[in-house]
Amino acid sequence: MSDVKKVVLAYSGGLDTSVIVKWLQETYNCEVVTFTADLGQGEEVEPARAKAQALGVKEIYVEDLREIFVRDYVFPMFRANAIYEGEYLLGTSIARPLIARRLVEIANETGADAISHGATGKGNDQVRFELGAYALKPGIQVIAPWREWDLNSREKLMEYCEEHGIEVDYAKNKKKSPYSMDANLLHISYEGGVLEDPWTECEEEMWRWSVSPEQAPNEATYIDLTYVKGDISAIDGKEMAAHEVLEYLNKVGGANGIGRLDIVENRYVGMKSRGCYETPGGTIMMRAHRAIESITLDREAAHLKDEMMPKYAELVYNGYWWSPERRMLQAAIDESQKVVNGVVRLKLYKGNVIVVGRQSEDSLFDASIATFEDDAGAYDQKDAAGFIKLNSLRLRIAASKGRGIE
Amino acid sequence: MSDVKKVVLAYSGGLDTSVIVKWLQETYNCEVVTFTADLGQGEEVEPARAKAQALGVKEIYVEDLREIFVRDYVFPMFRANAIYEGEYLLGTSIARPLIARRLVEIANETGADAISHGATGKGNDQVRFELGAYALKPGIQVIAPWREWDLNSREKLMEYCEEHGIEVDYAKNKKKSPYSMDANLLHISYEGGVLEDPWTECEEEMWRWSVSPEQAPNEATYIDLTYVKGDISAIDGKEMAAHEVLEYLNKVGGANGIGRLDIVENRYVGMKSRGCYETPGGTIMMRAHRAIESITLDREAAHLKDEMMPKYAELVYNGYWWSPERRMLQAAIDESQKVVNGVVRLKLYKGNVIVVGRQSEDSLFDASIATFEDDAGAYDQKDAAGFIKLNSLRLRIAASKGRGIE
Amino acid sequence: MSDVKKVVLAYSGGLDTSVIVKWLQETYNCEVVTFTADLGQGEEVEPARAKAQALGVKEIYVEDLREIFVRDYVFPMFRANAIYEGEYLLGTSIARPLIARRLVEIANETGADAISHGATGKGNDQVRFELGAYALKPGIQVIAPWREWDLNSREKLMEYCEEHGIEVDYAKNKKKSPYSMDANLLHISYEGGVLEDPWTECEEEMWRWSVSPEQAPNEATYIDLTYVKGDISAIDGKEMAAHEVLEYLNKVGGANGIGRLDIVENRYVGMKSRGCYETPGGTIMMRAHRAIESITLDREAAHLKDEMMPKYAELVYNGYWWSPERRMLQAAIDESQKVVNGVVRLKLYKGNVIVVGRQSEDSLFDASIATFEDDAGAYDQKDAAGFIKLNSLRLRIAASKGRGIE
Amino acid sequence: MSDVKKVVLAYSGGLDTSVIVKWLQETYNCEVVTFTADLGQGEEVEPARAKAQALGVKEIYVEDLREIFVRDYVFPMFRANAIYEGEYLLGTSIARPLIARRLVEIANETGADAISHGATGKGNDQVRFELGAYALKPGIQVIAPWREWDLNSREKLMEYCEEHGIEVDYAKNKKKSPYSMDANLLHISYEGGVLEDPWTECEEEMWRWSVSPEQAPNEATYIDLTYVKGDISAIDGKEMAAHEVLEYLNKVGGANGIGRLDIVENRYVGMKSRGCYETPGGTIMMRAHRAIESITLDREAAHLKDEMMPKYAELVYNGYWWSPERRMLQAAIDESQKVVNGVVRLKLYKGNVIVVGRQSEDSLFDASIATFEDDAGAYDQKDAAGFIKLNSLRLRIAASKGRGIE
């Protein structure tokens, strides 16, 4: 066991990380600094301060990071249209690099030589936290209690609390959810419990942020989203900060039954896992961003983005936000977004996000060229013959050598 | 003008291609062979025989290609999860290579030296027909009347009919749609008319194959799709031929308001164009195929497919079905599909396709490993520490050389 | 024939473009502006001034663009390690976008409404000139005489000269080379003549910039190249401007028999073509750049560059320098080059470029980690077990489902 | 320590693996099966039998795998033109999956429950052996002594020999090389020693398979290589088995100073490492394969291969030969090689591999089209105008919206 003097812990205020505070103090005989962030998970963060104090913590960080989170992490990722494995909008993944960064910065400020987190040894989050921390501060030590201790059941945790006088009233009052959950402004996720059988439909009562399409209003909701350089800057003409945009879209999306997802995904550590996600605002943003790009982006710029996207999404999912290759891709993507300005109009109805209009001063859509009606000479149809002749030349030569119909 | 003796025309039986028959006979003083295919467009094809006869055509081909179309073109494409520009399921694109092939084969059978089609000089279809034809028979001549003649308005066409005694009753009886449409078993498309302003929402009466989500039933429909090697072989346990699968899914999808799409896309010939599409069955198949792959495909095989997909979709869209590069990608994709077997359960509700279950004897999902509960030693959490340490090594070294926090 | 008032011609001063001056004046009854650039082709450009005057040209541009060419075009391309089809260093391709840009700028300055060039209708250069011009000034007209006129043989050209009093003494004095050639600071190319049979070895007398390996010195030459952000800034410790670097390397490379290439390549217009190239400096730079990257670039940044490279090279070859997709790739590449600083030592010997040393303050090579000797704990070999266990997990699960040995 | 009954060891007959035999017997109290393969490393393998017997081994496998190695591993890889990080021909990497496969098959035959190898915990080879073994037999145990024991210096190893009566005469007679080496028919590699400083030029006496370019003959050697489906089937008209091809090319290449390489590469386990390689035959094959492809492969098939290549090379380097993603890429590559038939003529001279001719009945090179002379109508230059006009349309539209000259 390495010699640790002070450790910064990503502290939620919940039972597990409270146990970790005590366990770190005991096991490493070190000082614990707690860091609790409001990323829009929908729970008060201030109560974590008192809890940390009760556990004997002296240096306590409680921070509202919502704007930084959405502006510097979520929005850049949405410029890339990032989707993991065709479905997942990376809600958990994108929060981890920010937390890793703050853990390291706080370690620098407080003179800590280690960080710690409450992620298990089977999941992606341990990787994301630790790759981030190592990429930013290579000598940092990382303590992952779930990989070290033997408190690997609820009973043992409760026993530990009792033995160490950790208050568990909050745990008693609330019935423990059968799911492992994670939430931030972009999404809430559910794993475990009955979800471990991918043939079992998930229960309606599991979902927390959205009504079901069945329960959504019978009237559609229309909204206009204004884009500046690929980011949403206003809704229905009202300017908003990045995190306000997402909060608003979560509300209106959730009310219309939008953004539920139930998938089996491939974890970076090598196994498949069932996950359910509610991403109302993100689901709306994904659709809208593609729509504004559809009229403003050059074709080949758009296709290049589509070719880059799977790798970008994989990097975010796997925890490589702070890697040079993610920065390279981001540079390419951001270069493309200068012209992604304009307005998208959406219709939201019972789980559907329907694009009904897009307009932009940077639009490359030119009805006078595209029209099947008379175009007044904007396009010479005879050019198409030469275009086809030369594009087919290699195929014609090959066919003339016997590579035609097999 | 080249010397053409006999030309095979892709003949729909409609006004435009009827005019083309006559125009070819007159302009090239050549014999015309007509080819009319049932691709599931939802209109009778037999009437085309009498119309061709009335135009003096002696060699008339009328063929039901629905099974070949779905089995050999649509299904292989869906194995690739092909989506063009994030949205379009390539309904029109995928029919063209089959038509090009039959045109060339019929030219071989009838000793024709040319083929012809009714696609305009501004669109993608001319490219798809002609690249296909040249790739299969390099010396073939292609006549594209819309690029040659001056009948470029409805009035001129009607005048031409009158002058040449072409029956237009079918044109009189039906009010001409304001849209340019194309249909086959995979979809129906709409372009032109009011769609030429991308800010204008399309009208409800435009859509033909689906009800709106609003008008769809208030009760969800559940279906089970059985996959064998990446293709659907049965629905609700009932074995079906490929085209029956798609017909069935079109019906149940359309009835549940599924598969409408309204986009601005980039044509291969260089301009942006607004298109609306109804693809009820295809929309269901896309979702379901990803779901069955999610439990049966290896992670990296799946990611490689995702990286290949944009290029594959672009090749199909641009008309390169018969190219060696499309065949290379198909070989890779088909190699991956041997294990894509099992059943997907879907819930269809007012425009939503919701995956509620997937199971397979080839499933790689292993709850005993993924579980956050005790896994009886199936996975050693300590392995994760080494995994992270070595994956981060390059980042730690870089950070130690000053490339950490900027 | 379109109505052209003034046309800017890319004018070499040679026979062909002199004929074009006259032909443009006659055919379009327009004013001709000539533009002659020194790109390091190794011929005087000033004589072009008098020749243009003799042809009645009033606005004459003669410019030394060598530094701009190497600094803003060649160097950025070498940051990408761009090689077309595994062999070709893109010597001709990279000069075209600069010429296109100057043609357009001069058109803007002189109020010209068209540009013209002497490239044939079969080659890549027409595409590169014209895509560049259209991308920079969309309304510009382009006149490509070789696609329009009927002077398609040497005899007809000479006849035209005689009829129009164009001096051909320079043509008389020099025996016409049997090759079609193009030169600039990066390379000289040869096409046509006996090269049209790819089984025929090219003749020693064809080559102009290099001795053969056989004739190169028996003593090796050593040089040190200093890199700053991916570009060479000094040779053997002596700071040089970009074009001086390339001039120096051409000299030392050519003297050591370096940089000859004989390939069959695929032109963008669809046919294969045999080309021979001498690229002494470029061949050295390619090898050296990879060597400095090998110690300074992160592994995944390097691999991402390798994956992007074929597309980048294709874009340059095909003439898409001024496209948004090339700019996106460049942004990603340039992002990676910040750390590509240091010195590479090379041994040049009879056609061989041998890397014998590389060093850098930004080096990520760390002998204390890589060593097979005792590393004092810098690397824990036990981490490798966990690394392998988790990287193989997906394969182990698959094998346990019967996907192991086939 | 796990309970192992019988272990199959990759046994070279050298000092290190002899120690491992004894160490396994002692440490695990298990039976050891030795497996020694002739992969063309240039040393007798039969002596390994007696040495194993002397160590008390009862089940001894000594096999000549040269033909299988070249035909089923080296040749398929060369079809892909695989080069790792722009330089390395993957000589060590490609032998490992075959050894892994035989270890597993022998384990199955002998009822062994474990395999073992002599690779260190810092290198790539441990990963390649173990990923291969796990992919083929998921429950196999792997013992990697170098990651477990404390015999981590030459002295301790010698001491162990003495204590355990292991004959070290072969070690006494030969002076121990200062390099860590690995050899098979494709290459010999050198690491460690003075190479650990990347600024130090390697010594002439290090190289074993090739003369230096300086010492190579002053006369060039010409050879003709015949290709069938992308593999070499004959040299100078003489049919040869796969391993004979490589043996022959190693000899002629080495005699002409061909195939030396000195690089810094990125290991999969995360650090940079200096490696020197001699790959005479492989260097010749790489050049020749590209040459035969240059006349037989379609352009886009070739470019697709170039885009796939870096990933393919990375997979081989990292040890994923037996993965589904490598098989997918191989399927695509092999699909392209059906037409890669013909003859390449090479000139070998003092380190240079110079392509001087290529011919094929499947050649797509058509001088009658490519010629700058009169082509008798094979290519209509006017088609180029339309080709350029439509390819530039998207750029012209963008420029007309202000995205031209910045």
Side-chain angles (χ1 to χ4, degrees), chain D residues 34 56 78 101 122 150 176 214 284:
Chain D
T34 58
F78 273 78
R101 181 181 180 134
K122 282 192 167 178
D150 58 354
K176 173 85 174 70
E214 285 89 339
I284 293 170

Side-chain angles (χ1 to χ4, degrees), chain C residues 85 272 297 303 314 381, chain D residues 85 121 272 297 303 314 394:
Chain C
E85 297 187 343
K272 290 184 181 291
L297 266 197
H303 292 198
E314 188 182 274
Q381 299 208 17
Chain D
E85 297 186 344
K272 291 184 181 292
L297 265 197
H303 291 198
E314 190 182 274
R394 64 184 175 97

Side-chain angles (χ1 to χ4, degrees), chain C residues 20-258:
Chain C
I20 290 175
V21 171
K22 187 57 73 181
W23 182 86
L24 287 169
Q25 291 165 336
E26 281 209 337
T27 312
Y28 286 86
N29 195 23
C30 69
E31 212 176 319
V32 175
V33 179
T34 59
F35 161 60
T36 309
D38 185 358
L39 295 166
Q41 60 267 51
E43 280 173 19
E44 290 296 310
V45 291
E46 266 307 319
R49 190 183 303 275
K51 288 180 190 166
Q53 280 169 333
L55 289 160
V57 175
K58 283 173 203 141
E59 290 172 291
I60 298 171
Y61 287 75
V62 179
E63 300 178 352
D64 179 356
L65 299 178
R66 291 174 302 156
E67 181 61 14
I68 291 172
F69 172 53
V70 180
R71 188 190 64 208
D72 296 346
Y73 297 79
V74 175
F75 273 15
M77 182 175 76
F78 273 77
R79 283 177 220 142
N81 299 324
I83 306 183
Y84 182 68
E85 297 187 343
E87 304 277 7
Y88 174 42
L89 295 177
L90 296 162
T92 299
S93 326
I94 191 60
R96 301 323 193 187
L98 170 53
I99 295 174
R101 181 180 182 136
R102 286 300 297 140
L103 287 172
V104 162
E105 288 171 340
I106 292 170
N108 285 343
E109 284 166 39
T110 61
D113 46 1
I115 62 161
S116 183
H117 60 75
T120 84
K122 282 191 167 178
N124 296 303
D125 287 331
Q126 57 174 343
V127 189
R128 295 165 186 154
F129 282 132
E130 298 177 29
L131 289 182
Y134 289 135
L136 297 171
K137 190 174 168 74
I140 196 80
Q141 291 191 57
V142 177
I143 304 175
W146 286 96
R147 296 202 304 255
E148 293 190 19
W149 70 23
D150 57 356
L151 304 177
N152 40 24
S153 74
R154 195 106 210 116
E155 292 68 42
K156 287 191 189 162
L157 279 176
M158 298 305 285
E159 230 171 81
Y160 189 94
C161 288
E162 209 160 318
E163 282 171 25
H164 295 78
I166 301 171
E167 270 203 77
V168 290
D169 52 10
Y170 44 88
K172 280 184 213 142
N173 297 342
K174 283 197 255 174
K175 187 166 158 292
K176 175 82 173 71
S177 160
Y179 306 105
S180 169
M181 288 186 291
D182 178 70
N184 60 49
L185 256 176
L186 184 50
H187 89 349
I188 180 167
S189 69
Y190 309 88
E191 290 184 293
V194 298
L195 301 178
E196 293 191 358
D197 175 3
W199 185 247
T200 304
E201 186 172 354
C202 49
E203 316 157 302
E204 181 55 34
E205 47 269 46
M206 179 187 74
W207 305 101
R208 301 193 166 198
W209 283 13
S210 63
V211 300
S212 70
E214 285 90 339
Q215 293 165 322
N218 291 320
E219 287 290 297
T221 304
Y222 283 78
I223 53 172
D224 285 7
L225 303 181
T226 302
Y227 277 89
V228 175
K229 294 190 184 173
D231 297 337
I232 300 173
S233 64
I235 299 181
D236 291 333
K238 188 172 164 243
E239 303 246 333
M240 292 184 191
H243 79 280
E244 293 171 329
V245 164
L246 195 42
E247 275 168 2
Y248 185 94
L249 293 178
N250 278 337
K251 205 173 299 171
V252 69
N256 283 288
I258 287 163

